């Protein structure tokens, strides 16, 4: 609907935009569509952050990942590294009947290169070991560096 409105040169209703921005699995795509039509000003300010973008990218990565293959039932930011949002750690969980439901909260990581400074710039690293033990900052940064150099 939003895409069709924009394609017809109509302004989508803010209520509809907000509904899609609230859903992590839809948020990044909504941003891309608004950006394509030069209508970023319609994107809700409270979701125009690296953290909210990262939550969306991680949710979609989990959905497409063969070892997870689902959207998380719950997802929360745990922390940003002290490196200007270069690394963002999330905890997420799935309810029964998902096969990882018995693990409870597990961790996911979203990393960015220093030159990637736009709130909705695509992440350079999306990963999870689907474990309920969080990696250390040093371990995460090592993985990020290896990803960027390889």
């Amino acid at each position: 609907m939003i895409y069709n409105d924009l394609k017809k040169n109509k302004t989508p209703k803010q209520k509809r935009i907000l509904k899609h921005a609230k859903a992590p699995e839809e948020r990044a795509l909504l941003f891309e569509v608004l950006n394509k039509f030069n209508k970023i000003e319609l994107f809700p300010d409270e979701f125009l952050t690296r953290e909210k973008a990262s939550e969306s990218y991680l949710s979609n990565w989990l959905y497409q990942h063969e070892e997870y293959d689902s959207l998380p039932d719950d997802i929360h930011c745990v922390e940003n590294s002290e490196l200007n949002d270069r690394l963002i750690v999330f905890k997420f969980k799935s309810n029964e009947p998902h096969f990882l439901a018995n693990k409870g909260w597990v961790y996911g990581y979203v990393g960015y290169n220093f030159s990637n400074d736009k709130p909705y710039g695509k992440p350079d690293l999306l990963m999870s070991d689907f474990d309920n033990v969080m990696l250390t900052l040093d371990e995460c940064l090592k993985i990020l560096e290896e990803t960027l150099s390889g």
Side-chain angles (χ1 to χ4, degrees):
M1 286 283 217
I2 292 172
Y3 181 84
N4 290 337
D5 285 349
L6 292 167
K7 199 171 175 182
K8 293 175 186 173
N9 212 20
K10 292 182 181 178
T11 301
K13 292 181 180 176
Q14 196 60 36
K15 184 177 179 179
R16 176 171 282 134
I17 290 173
L18 184 58
K19 174 187 168 202
H20 292 285
K22 285 181 177 180
E25 68 274 12
E26 298 176 27
R27 190 177 303 137
L29 180 58
L30 172 64
F31 182 87
E32 288 176 28
V33 167
L34 292 173
N35 190 41
K36 175 181 172 124
F37 287 95
N38 296 315
K39 295 289 186 180
I40 291 301
E41 71 277 3
L42 298 175
F43 196 82
D45 287 342
E46 70 249 42
F47 297 103
L48 196 55
T49 67
R50 173 61 57 91
E51 181 181 309
K52 292 299 186 182
S54 298
E55 178 184 49
S56 183
Y57 286 122
L58 181 61
S59 293
N60 285 301
W61 179 83
L62 290 166
Y63 181 71
Q64 295 171 13
H65 196 282
E66 63 187 37
E67 289 182 45
Y68 195 78
D69 196 27
S70 181
L71 290 170
D73 289 306
D74 208 353
I75 185 168
H76 297 285
C77 181
V78 175
E79 65 183 51
N80 292 359
S81 77
E82 63 269 10
L83 301 173
N84 284 336
D85 292 338
R86 186 167 180 224
L87 178 69
I88 302 175
V89 181
F90 290 88
K91 65 180 183 177
F92 60 92
K93 68 178 180 175
S94 289
N95 300 329
E96 294 287 345
H98 195 276
F99 69 96
L100 288 178
N102 64 338
K103 282 198 170 201
W105 291 102
V106 294
Y107 294 93
Y109 309 89
V110 184
Y112 298 89
N113 189 332
F114 281 116
S115 63
N116 187 347
D117 63 353
K118 293 186 166 109
Y120 277 79
K122 297 235 191 273
D124 298 292
L125 173 71
L126 287 161
M127 66 161 278
S128 177
D129 56 7
F130 305 108
D131 198 353
N132 55 8
V133 176
M134 187 167 53
L135 298 174
T136 67
L137 178 60
D138 288 339
E139 290 170 322
C140 292
L141 291 177
K142 182 179 177 189
I143 293 168
L144 180 58
E145 291 302 322
E146 288 171 358
T147 301
L148 294 174
S149 65

